[in-house]
Amino acid sequence: MSKTRVLISVGGTGGHIFPARALAEYLQDKAEVFYLEKKIISSSKNLFKILAGSLQALKVMLKFKPQVVIVTGGYPAVPVGLAAFCLRKPLVLMEQNAFLGKTNRF
């Protein structure tokens, strides 16, 4: 039986990175994990950068072919989430705070 392919995308702060790393370590024996940390172009306000990042994320997803995409919030998660939506991949929003951040609400 082949392992599930999981793409984990994280923002640029420790509040996003450390929980995602813990999840990646946990899934390491159970799934094939592609860990994407701050490698996608993005911006909180620049639509061009969000679209460019979405294309970049699409390219990564078409190559890796994840079965599920997990994002931990932060503005770098927006292009990855949009790419997952375009490819009809299941998207898991991981929120480690008491209240949803702007990105996860979007």
Side-chain angles (χ1 to χ4, degrees):
M1 183 165 66
S2 65
K3 291 183 176 183
T4 302
R5 297 171 70 90
V6 178
L7 183 134
I8 301 175
S9 176
V10 301
T13 65
H16 299 126
I17 294 171
F18 294 118
R21 282 189 184 164
L23 178 63
E25 280 183 35
Y26 175 77
L27 292 175
Q28 193 170 3
D29 296 334
K30 300 163 185 55
E32 188 175 343
V33 177
F34 188 88
Y35 185 76
L36 192 60
E37 182 180 314
K38 299 186 294 181
K39 294 181 179 128
I40 298 293
I41 299 168
S42 190
S43 168
S44 60
K45 297 177 183 172
N46 187 325
L47 184 60
F48 175 74
K49 285 187 176 182
I50 292 171
L51 292 174
S54 296
L55 291 175
Q56 193 179 16
L58 278 168
K59 183 178 176 182
V60 169
M61 286 185 206
L62 289 172
K63 185 175 181 180
F64 180 66
K65 297 181 184 0
Q67 293 166 295
V68 65
V69 177
I70 301 171
V71 296
T72 62
Y75 64 87
V78 172
V80 176
L82 290 172
F85 177 77
C86 289
L87 293 175
R88 302 291 188 245
K89 300 291 181 185
L91 178 63
V92 177
L93 304 176
M94 186 174 153
E95 183 59 63
Q96 49 280 352
N97 299 306
F99 300 99
L100 282 174
K102 290 178 186 177
T103 299
N104 282 349
R105 277 186 280 163
F106 171 71

